[in-house]
Amino acid sequence: MIDRDRFPVDPWRLTETRYAEDGVSETLFAVGNGYLGLRGNHIEGRGAHEHGTFLNGLHETWRIRHAEQAYGFAEVGQTIVNAPDAKIMRVYVDDEPISFEESEVRDYSRSLDMRTGIVERSFIWETPSGKRIRMRDERLVSFEERHLAILRLEITVENSDAPVTISCQLLNRQDGGSVYGGTPPGAKKAGFDPRKTEKITERVLQPVEYWQDGLRSALSYQTTESGMTVAVVADHVIETDNDYSARMLVEQDVAKNVFRVQAKGGVPIRITKLVSYHTSRGVPARELVDRCRRSLDRARIEGVDEQFHRQKEWLDAFWERSDVVIEGHDDLQQASRWCLFQLAQASARADGSGVPAKGLTGSGYSGHYFWDTEIYVLPFLTYTTPQWARNALRARVLMLPAARRRAAQLNEAGALFPWRTINGEEASAYYAAGTAQYHINADVSFALGKYVRATGDVDFLCREGVDIAVDTARLWATLGFWRGMNGDATFHIHGVTGPDEYTTVVNDNLFTNVMARYNLRYAARVVREIAANAPRAYDALVERTGLDAGEPDAWDRAAEAMFIPFSESLGIHPQDAMFLEREVWDLDHTPDDQRPLLLHFHPLVIYRFQVLKQADVVLALFLQGNHFTPEEKLADFQYYDPLTTGDSTLSAVVQSILAAEVGYQDLAREYFEHSLFVDLGDLHQNASDGVHVASAGGVWTALVCGFGGMRDHAGELSFDPRLPVDWPSLSYSLQWQGTALKVKVTRDQLRVTVQSGEPVTFTVRGVEYTVSESDDVLVALADQGPVLEGRPTLGQFEDARRDDGTRISASVPVVTSAIPVISVFED
């Protein structure tokens, strides 16, 4: 899955031993803090897949041009903006630039140390004239100082005197990137891929203020359409015993601080570049320049070394509460920690903004926020650093006004959160797989409920969070409808798309109905609890939302009567009301060159088949597992697993968790390792566009909930582990209602330790225990759950018949109408 000659195993570092100018390595060695992200571009600043500097929420808007317009279609698109690039520190010796393609480079190494958060690169460059130059550079984006990045460069001419020039630059690549180009030699033009960002051809960043003062340079802009402002200021410190001079140049799209050094043999040159970025939706660019100045002043007073020291302390605390230890498997440990580190880089300092699907490591998915955050990222945040989870949920609170407008536009009450967005408005031009994913409402409410139960943060719920629960429940109450009479009446939801984007605009999608049922019940319960326990907060809620006293009862009735589809003949839950009417797509006989399906088949072709982009019913079985029996979970998993393409990186982690629970232990391990190396091994061929943050979050969930067996259904903490057969132990940390827990699983026992906080009560396979700081709990395990060999296959469909007695067949769509569709199973 990963080239171990290039990326050797190290449990705490990701190191590459060969120079590469490719998009994947740019992603793998990106650094960020949730607000600011720098792609892993080399400081020479020339060829690259994407020269990326991204600020969370900094975006441009553009008018969506639909081929055929209709009422309610999304009208304005949003795309993340590439902020001015401060990474460039170009080196010349004898006025010749370093060139990895033309020069001899030895002892090359670039590494990301996940204990320090520093990317370090070192090598020896030998010029054609025989001069040997040792170079080392470091890069840090501060977790403590949200707006600060630091780049350090050290150059030593080891065997000669030589003139050395270092050109430190700020460059607006969004509009002026063509100054130096940006496409590596031989790069292919990208074909159709909806996962990539939109390209805006008009000028995006309008210059406002740009200047230089001593060794400081500043650029600032306002975006043309969205009106956002951004500023960057860079300061420079040079340390050397060599003679040098400095010159400056500033224009609206570039600022240069150039140092000319008369280098003596063996005498080092050290340059530190401190950079501050600020953005706003309403503050003038000139004010942002002043904020950047203050950020740099503070960093200079505290000292550069202090910033590196505080970064290390910050990460020590992060790993103490977040690490998952896989004993005896350094390769898996390395990849797991890399994934967890990406979660910190994507969310730690988001501070009330969303978490983009690619974090701040690339422009994939246009920098949009999806429901991925609530289902795949929020669990990690909630159980390791609750403050980050609270911040992420506040981003949804801030989106409520736009969500209410969107619901009204679609003739519904309450709020409808967007499928993809940056500013809170729906940005998806394809409603079938976008707006129709109403389940996002329930996903957000579900994440809120998980957060409040796990943390006990009733204050956030009463003041802000309850508004999410109320307005999302209101939407289900008007979107759904009653069918039947009196006690036989059932509540249905039609015209929706579930998580599986290969099946759209359907009736009674199981995932949607199950999650909406949770949403309705949760909203009714918390409203009553607030009314009983916090009457002043309840009065404020009524004032804010116009809540009617009868609404909670109506929500409960709808939840109780929610229609949950089930096929008696197949013994499974259909994905939706008509899913079983379709024929099965024979994935086993689908050529690899036709995968992923979304890039090779028209959506209408895909929609006619039983085929899944990602786990849908299986995801419901995990999230709402206390509402399904073990037998139902096994039957559903066996039916849907062979139908799931894995074309979405969101799928393998969920399949791993359910495979482990129902007994397919080897398959669980296989799915886990696939998700673990999605980016490190570029398994979906698009890691160059940025990290798959949700998949990284799913890795934590697969470890803790899949193999570690943790659940918290209905607010009750429980464990039922499924440790892989060749793992000596698995250890992880949990924050539970203010108590810090450590859990360690071996094949024959589970140990729970309180590191700090109050006693915690939990169950292990149905037996209740209480652990405190003074007494660990050690539970003997007779086994690691059921064990089933192999994996489910399409063979199960050979004799499968629907409820009406008709037979299900499997086939592959063909390209030409002259050839009939071939059925794998003949009558």
Side-chain angles (χ1 to χ4, degrees), residues 157-170:
V157 183
E158 293 190 326
N159 62 345
S160 176
D161 297 349
V164 176
T165 300
I166 303 100
S167 178
C168 299
Q169 303 178 18
L170 302 177

Side-chain angles (χ1 to χ4, degrees), residues 113-133:
D113 190 326
M114 292 172 281
R115 294 163 299 188
T116 64
I118 297 168
V119 168
E120 177 184 325
R121 186 188 67 161
S122 63
F123 58 89
I124 295 175
W125 168 34
E126 195 159 300
T127 69
S129 63
K131 294 177 181 177
R132 189 171 65 250
I133 296 93

Side-chain angles (χ1 to χ4, degrees), residues 503-525:
T503 312
T504 65
V505 193
V506 299
N507 296 340
D508 288 322
N509 169 255
L510 178 98
F511 180 89
T512 302
N513 285 17
V514 166
M515 294 296 286
R517 180 176 64 184
Y518 167 87
N519 194 164
L520 290 161
R521 286 174 173 167
Y522 178 67
R525 179 171 62 81

Side-chain angles (χ1 to χ4, degrees), residues 607-625:
Y607 296 163
R608 296 188 184 107
F609 285 82
Q610 292 187 45
V611 64
L612 282 64
K613 183 182 179 187
Q614 64 204 68
D616 194 302
V617 171
V618 170
L619 181 57
L621 299 178
F622 167 54
L623 298 181
Q624 289 284 277

